[in-house]
Amino acid sequence: MKTENDAYLTLAALCAQAEHCQYEMLEKMRRWELPDDAQARVMARLIKERYVDDERYAQAFVNDKIRYNKWGRRKVEQALWQKRIDEDIRKRVLDAVDDDEYLSILRPLLKQKRKTVKANSDYELNQKLMRFAVGRGFTFDIIRQCIDVEEEPDEE
């Protein structure tokens, strides 16, 4: 079992290396079996000294998941919900992402997937592509825009 000061030093070092949210820090302290009042004091100190900031964490998380993991809005939103990020922070950070950015990520994904999908008709192909994109967390309006664009060059 860690002492309160050991927990603070360990968590501060972790937060100095990468962004972490309050929920992650609390979970670590629970696993260390730190008393609730000590957890509260450590968390307050981490927040006061700006080691932990849920909004900053959410911005970094959204940026990474959209750009590098190629996730859509729904999947990112669900992951933030699981990390217990406040709804207003989730909404504000996700609304800051432009629809064009989602389109620029989804178009190449669908183009690549289209090459590997086996289907008997265009309808079946589009259904499979839509399921793939929904699984990645993209919304139907964004998916529809990308699939409509993909269909046009094939017809010419």
Side-chain angles (χ1 to χ4, degrees), residues 50-64:
R50 298 200 33 86
Y51 281 110
V52 174
D53 181 346
D54 278 355
E55 185 156 2
R56 191 177 64 214
Y57 171 81
Q59 288 170 343
F61 186 87
V62 167
N63 186 37
D64 287 354

Side-chain angles (χ1 to χ4, degrees), residues 19-20 28 35 57 61 66 73 89 91 95 102-103 108 111 127 144 148 151:
E19 289 293 338
H20 292 281
K28 285 191 182 300
Y57 171 81
F61 186 87
I66 290 174
R73 178 186 175 90
I89 293 173
K91 185 170 174 23
D95 286 347
Y102 286 119
L103 290 171
K111 190 174 183 180
Q127 291 302 310
R144 195 71 227 159
D148 289 345
E151 287 175 355

